Amino acid sequence: MKTTIISKATLGVLAIASLLLTSCRSDGGFDYDHSALYLSGTEENPVVKFVVEDTPASYAVTVQSTEKVASDVNLTLAIDRAKVEEYNKTNKTNFFAIPEGAVELDNSQVTISEGNAISSAATVKVVSTEAFEEGATYMIPVTIQNVSGGMTDVIEGSRTIFLRVSRVINFAAV
């Protein structure tokens, strides 16, 4: 009886050890020396809530580096409405791209200055909600369109931030 328990325990330890050994990558796994860029706030989820209580409503968008940059990195951000359709197909959702004329992107040229790891801010402004349809949930996809300077690698999963517009509707109490 004791031998059976000991042999089962030994077998279990051997199974776990073999799983651990076979799951290790021969190239060392994560590349600690690799630097890349990403939009701030997309580390866990590319969809971020953007509360619009009144217009104009603003949201600051910045780009970060995984480490301090050795020389200036210049980036161009843009609102790419086509990304909403891609997101919907990939995630089986039904968001709507924000209507034309309802949003503006100020300071779309941002820079991560030498010795820093975060860029200057671009500002997304919802300037009108008149074209919004009742019951529709809108997204504003802001994406890294162009990179020049010292570092050019972008983490693809964090290239675009989707600002999910949450409207606050005020009405008089009875």
Side-chain angles (χ1 to χ4, degrees), residues 69-83:
V69 297
S71 62
D72 287 359
V73 178
N74 300 305
L75 302 109
T76 304
L77 304 180
I79 295 173
D80 186 355
R81 287 175 176 76
K83 297 275 184 188

Side-chain angles (χ1 to χ4, degrees), residues 37 63-65 67 69 71-75 110-114 116-120:
L37 304 167
V63 178
Q64 285 186 256
S65 170
E67 65 178 23
V69 297
S71 62
D72 287 359
V73 178
N74 300 305
L75 302 109
V110 297
T111 302
I112 302 176
S113 300
E114 178 182 342
N116 291 311
I118 192 163
S119 73
S120 53

Side-chain angles (χ1 to χ4, degrees), residues 97-109:
I98 194 150
E100 290 282 339
V103 67
E104 295 174 354
L105 180 62
D106 293 340
N107 308 321
S108 63
Q109 303 286 327

Side-chain angles (χ1 to χ4, degrees), residues 23-111:
S23 66
C24 293
R25 292 176 46 181
S26 61
D27 65 356
F30 184 76
D31 184 3
Y32 291 97
D33 294 326
H34 183 76
S35 301
L37 304 167
Y38 61 96
L39 281 162
S40 304
T42 60
E43 299 88 355
E44 292 181 25
N45 189 352
V47 179
V48 177
K49 186 177 179 180
F50 176 18
V51 178
V52 176
E53 187 169 348
D54 202 6
T55 56
S58 300
Y59 189 94
V61 177
T62 57
V63 178
Q64 285 186 256
S65 170
T66 54
E67 65 178 23
K68 292 180 180 180
V69 297
S71 62
D72 287 359
V73 178
N74 300 305
L75 302 109
T76 304
L77 304 180
I79 295 173
D80 186 355
R81 287 175 176 76
K83 297 275 184 188
V84 175
E85 187 176 329
E86 290 174 24
Y87 182 87
N88 284 336
K89 283 181 183 177
T90 303
N91 297 290
K92 296 178 179 29
T93 55
N94 193 28
F95 293 109
F96 294 87
I98 194 150
E100 290 282 339
V103 67
E104 295 174 354
L105 180 62
D106 293 340
N107 308 321
S108 63
Q109 303 286 327
V110 297
T111 302

Side-chain angles (χ1 to χ4, degrees), residues 11-25:
L11 246 130
V13 168
L14 287 174
I16 291 171
S18 67
L19 280 173
L20 290 174
L21 290 174
T22 57
S23 66
C24 293
R25 292 176 46 181

Side-chain angles (χ1 to χ4, degrees), residues 100-160:
E100 290 282 339
V103 67
E104 295 174 354
L105 180 62
D106 293 340
N107 308 321
S108 63
Q109 303 286 327
V110 297
T111 302
I112 302 176
S113 300
E114 178 182 342
N116 291 311
I118 192 163
S119 73
S120 53
T123 306
V124 177
K125 285 186 189 173
V126 173
V127 293
S128 173
T129 57
E130 290 178 19
F132 285 17
E133 293 180 23
E134 192 66 35
T137 304
Y138 292 99
M139 287 184 120
I140 306 167
V142 180
T143 191
I144 298 172
Q145 191 174 48
N146 188 27
V147 181
S148 64
M151 183 187 307
T152 58
D153 288 344
V154 177
I155 299 171
E156 286 305 316
S158 294
R159 178 180 287 274
T160 303

